[in-house]
């Protein structure tokens, strides 16, 4: 995952946590516009979320933030 999407994921998680608390959940679609303007990146994040980590459709934002921060 490139640094740009990692930063975006962390920022989205921070915003969701700030707005709704640490228990808020989100899906990987939260990091993309409703318009599918970057299908390759969408698939990269989907693969990381679904295939590599076998995460549920909705996961806690705090968990995703920490997972993304640990990516080298």
């Amino acid at each position: 995952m490139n640094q740009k999407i990692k930063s975006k994921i962390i920022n989205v998680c921070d915003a969701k946590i700030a707005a709704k608390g640490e228990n808020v959940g989100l899906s990987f679609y939260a990091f993309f516009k409703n318009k599918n303007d970057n299908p390759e990146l969408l698939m990269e994040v989907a693969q990381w979320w679904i295939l590599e980590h076998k995460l549920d459709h909705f996961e806690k934002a705090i968990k995703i933030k920490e997972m993304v921060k640990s990516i080298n």
Side-chain angles (χ1 to χ4, degrees), residues 10-24 26 60-63 65:
I10 291 168
N11 290 337
V12 169
C13 288
D14 284 342
K16 294 280 187 182
I17 292 165
K20 298 193 176 197
E22 288 193 7
N23 236 5
V24 68
L26 47 75
K60 302 287 184 205
I62 193 101
K63 174 182 177 179
K65 177 183 172 181

Side-chain angles (χ1 to χ4, degrees), residues 10-72:
I10 291 168
N11 290 337
V12 169
C13 288
D14 284 342
K16 294 280 187 182
I17 292 165
K20 298 193 176 197
E22 288 193 7
N23 236 5
V24 68
L26 47 75
S27 78
F28 66 88
Y29 288 114
F31 315 118
F32 299 93
K33 298 175 186 174
N34 286 337
K35 182 179 177 186
N36 189 7
D37 59 355
N38 193 338
E40 293 84 11
L41 186 58
L42 176 70
M43 292 306 295
E44 180 181 344
V45 174
Q47 180 174 335
W48 177 86
W49 189 287
I50 297 166
L51 296 177
E52 290 179 32
H53 296 284
K54 307 210 182 322
L55 299 171
D56 290 334
H57 184 74
F58 283 93
E59 290 287 346
K60 302 287 184 205
I62 193 101
K63 174 182 177 179
I64 299 303
K65 177 183 172 181
E66 293 307 314
M67 289 176 72
V68 170
K69 285 172 73 174
S70 72
I71 298 172
N72 294 328

